[in-house]
Amino acid sequence: MAFTEPVLTKRIPTDPAQRHVVLFDEYVATGGYASLRKSLEMTPADIVKLVTDSGLRGRGGAGFSAGQKWSFIPKDKKGHHYLAVNADESEPGTFKDRYLMDYDPHLMLEGIAICALATQVDTCYIFIRGEFHRQAKVLEKAVKEAYEHGIFGPGGIFGSSHKLECYVHRGAGAYICGEETGLLEALEGKRGWPRNKPPFPAIAGAFSRPTVINNVETLCLVPPIIEKGAAWFKSMGTPSSPGPKLYGMSGHVNRPGIYEDELGITLDYAINKLSGGMKGGAYKAAICGGISMGVLGTNQLDIKLDFDDVRFRGGCLGLGTAGMIVMNEHTDMVRALRNCVRFYSHESCGQCTPCREGSAWMLKILNRIVDGGGRAKDIDMLMELEKTMGIMPGTTICGLADGTAWVTRTFINKFYDEFAAVCPEEPARGVPLNIIHRGQFNPQIPMGSNTR
């Protein structure tokens, strides 16, 4: 059986005019919290095994097995266990979690409660992005309803012996807090700097206690798995990437928005069938899962949007969040890369020198290229910089530098001619060789001087 009907969005009408927040009574009337009651009759080990057998992979970007992550939590409980829900969603082009929290918040709360049963969690913190003002209010109301109906609170989940507290914790809008250990630092009231690992969060996470960290969409898929089983879930998607997925389509498409389908659909299908085809010109490129994953080229419309094909054949880091930014034939890829690198340079937390300095110098070089002062060796310099920063070369703590490097690598490799055209062997007349531009609205800064 392939994908035949909505799973995550079954309570969210496709017509925007008919959408509304699904509150507790409506959620229960449409089958909500039945999976939670079923989970109360299962052992924690049985819940973890079912989620593991389903093949559910995290929908936050990395695609790691959700059940396996749960299994890392110590079985012999000797104190508090925590659940941190990553609702930060600050990856450019990504807006699926906001969509779920906007209209069906109890689906996530049910997933939270089931996860708590499986991993013996006592306290859950929903770490929500600071700019999500409306979503925070919707969540607060849904959490209050859950307390009133015996899901959270000192009385135990539906009167059981398992007590669970749940809090909405608002971030301050820092991209780096989407990284799980940066999120934990911010949750504890500290600067959102990622931590060295080990120890891993499953052993020493929030407040140095065992902690599960899951994405919103991941938790929303747990109740359907409990209800219908692992075989049902694996009937959708591909063998290595089973289940349904939310695709966020934006950019040069006729119908931007959130669409649900199974994992493994092609990029061509996502553009032409889900979002109504290209707008303003023919297809040229697509950022497949937030800009951290890199860019797919003009000849890659047949790529399957799952956790493996995008990585192996597409030359990207992976599917990521499936936040698609589609670009037509008129897009200037040099300026597009400059926008991506400008974002990373601004959002780097500054803890690791290769990321802090590398992203800043990449931006200066790209600003100079865009301003007309590009040189052939600038391309080599950009490629040299991207090879020396990130977790994969082993020079940084978190993956922000890898995102910077990968987007630079894929843009230049797949659209080299565009970069070569603006980086000639001889510099443009009138542009001094020793000048780095910070952009057309900023003063010229001599290379080598302290510009930070």
Side-chain angles (χ1 to χ4, degrees):
M1 182 190 80
F3 182 81
T4 56
E5 60 183 7
V7 177
L8 289 161
T9 59
K10 70 177 185 178
R11 298 181 184 86
I12 307 175
T14 54
D15 181 3
Q18 297 179 17
R19 293 175 191 159
H20 60 280
V21 179
V22 177
L23 297 177
F24 183 86
D25 291 339
E26 182 181 354
Y27 184 72
V28 171
T30 54
Y33 289 114
S35 293
L36 178 57
R37 293 186 182 277
K38 183 178 179 180
S39 298
L40 287 168
E41 301 171 1
M42 303 168 66
T43 66
D46 288 340
I47 299 173
V48 172
K49 185 178 185 304
L50 178 56
V51 174
T52 304
D53 291 345
S54 73
L56 172 62
R57 297 174 67 170
R59 284 358 188 204
F64 191 78
S65 167
Q68 191 174 352
K69 180 183 278 191
W70 292 4
S71 71
F72 295 155
I73 300 295
K75 309 297 185 296
D76 52 335
K77 188 176 179 185
K78 297 179 181 178
H80 267 70
H81 288 184
Y82 292 98
L83 168 61
V85 181
N86 190 341
D88 194 66
E89 194 169 52
S90 47
E91 181 68 35
T94 307
F95 46 98
K96 60 184 179 60
D97 292 345
R98 180 179 67 183
Y99 187 71
L100 292 170
M101 292 185 289
D102 251 332
Y103 300 112
D104 199 3
H106 280 282
L107 180 60
M108 180 184 70
L109 298 185
E110 184 175 11
I112 286 171
I114 295 170
C115 176
L117 291 173
T119 56
Q120 303 181 73
V121 163
D122 313 286
T123 305
C124 170
Y125 294 101
I126 304 170
F127 190 97
I128 188 169
R129 182 178 175 184
E131 293 89 341
F132 286 174
H133 303 292
R134 179 183 184 277
Q135 291 74 22
K137 292 178 181 178
V138 169
L139 270 183
E140 290 280 10
K141 184 172 182 179
V143 169
K144 182 180 178 182
E145 286 187 315
Y147 269 97
E148 291 170 350
H149 290 87
I151 296 155
F152 304 138
I157 299 175
F158 288 141
S160 70
S161 59
H162 192 108
K163 299 176 177 60
L164 176 62
E165 302 292 338
C166 184
Y167 305 97
V168 178
H169 182 97
R170 300 187 68 174
Y175 172 74
I176 197 65
C177 290
E179 195 276 337
E180 60 180 24
T181 59
L183 182 153
L184 293 178
E185 287 287 291
L187 185 63
E188 294 176 1
K190 294 177 281 188
R191 177 182 291 186
W193 273 11
R195 300 173 180 174
N196 277 311
K197 293 179 283 190
F200 292 92
I203 304 300
F207 313 106
S208 298
R209 299 300 309 163
T211 303
V212 183
I213 304 172
N214 278 138
N215 168 262
V216 172
E217 186 184 357
T218 308
L219 290 168
C220 286
L221 284 167
V222 172
I225 291 172
I226 298 296
E227 177 190 358
K228 298 183 179 180
W232 164 81
F233 192 78
K234 293 172 77 171
S235 70
M236 296 173 279
T238 66
S240 63
S241 301
K245 184 76 186 74
L246 294 183
Y247 296 94
M249 305 299 296
S250 62
H252 299 136
V253 292
N254 285 314
R255 294 196 306 269
I258 291 289
Y259 298 92
E260 184 178 2
D261 211 299
E262 62 184 335
L263 282 163
I265 63 172
T266 64
L267 176 61
D268 180 72
Y269 182 91
I271 293 172
N272 292 303
K273 299 296 183 181
L274 296 184
S275 53
M278 294 299 301
K279 180 179 181 179
Y283 166 79
K284 182 176 185 178
I287 290 170
C288 61
I291 62 176
S292 297
M293 297 297 109
V295 67
L296 293 169
T298 306
N299 61 345
Q300 295 184 312
L301 279 167
D302 65 328
I303 291 292
K304 292 181 179 179
L305 300 178
D306 63 20
F307 291 108
D308 299 314
D309 205 38
V310 169
R311 180 158 52 101
F312 293 124
R313 286 202 304 135
C316 295
L317 269 178
L319 178 65
T321 61
M324 306 282 164
I325 304 174
V326 183
M327 293 167 269
N328 67 24
E329 59 189 325
H330 305 298
T331 304
D332 184 330
M333 302 308 285
V334 180
R335 289 179 178 271
L337 175 59
R338 193 268 298 267
N339 286 346
C340 294
V341 172
R342 179 167 55 188
F343 171 81
Y344 286 119
S345 179
H346 179 268
E347 292 294 340
S348 174
C349 75
Q351 183 176 193
C352 304
T353 302
C355 177
R356 180 184 69 243
E357 300 299 328
S359 61
W361 277 101
M362 279 185 175
L363 176 59
K364 293 170 189 174
I365 293 168
L366 285 163
N367 276 337
R368 180 177 62 198
I369 292 171
V370 168
D371 286 351
R375 302 168 295 181
K377 63 181 181 181
D378 286 337
I379 300 177
D380 296 331
M381 195 181 303
L382 287 169
M383 296 300 281
E384 181 180 347
L385 281 168
E386 64 88 8
K387 287 181 177 66
T388 58
M389 54 193 289
I391 292 176
M392 284 176 279
T395 61
T396 61
I397 294 173
C398 88
L400 188 145
D402 293 284
T404 316
W406 217 268
V407 72
T408 301
R409 178 183 309 174
T410 54
F411 264 84
I412 293 177
N413 283 342
K414 296 179 181 181
F415 299 95
Y416 184 84
D417 289 346
E418 288 194 39
F419 286 86
V422 293
C423 293
E425 291 294 334
E426 295 295 329
R429 181 174 298 178
V431 178
L433 288 176
N434 66 335
I435 294 297
I436 283 284
H437 282 267
R438 298 185 90 186
Q440 59 183 343
F441 299 113
N442 294 291
Q444 294 180 342
I445 304 297
M447 287 184 68
S449 68
N450 185 357
T451 60
R452 296 196 63 78

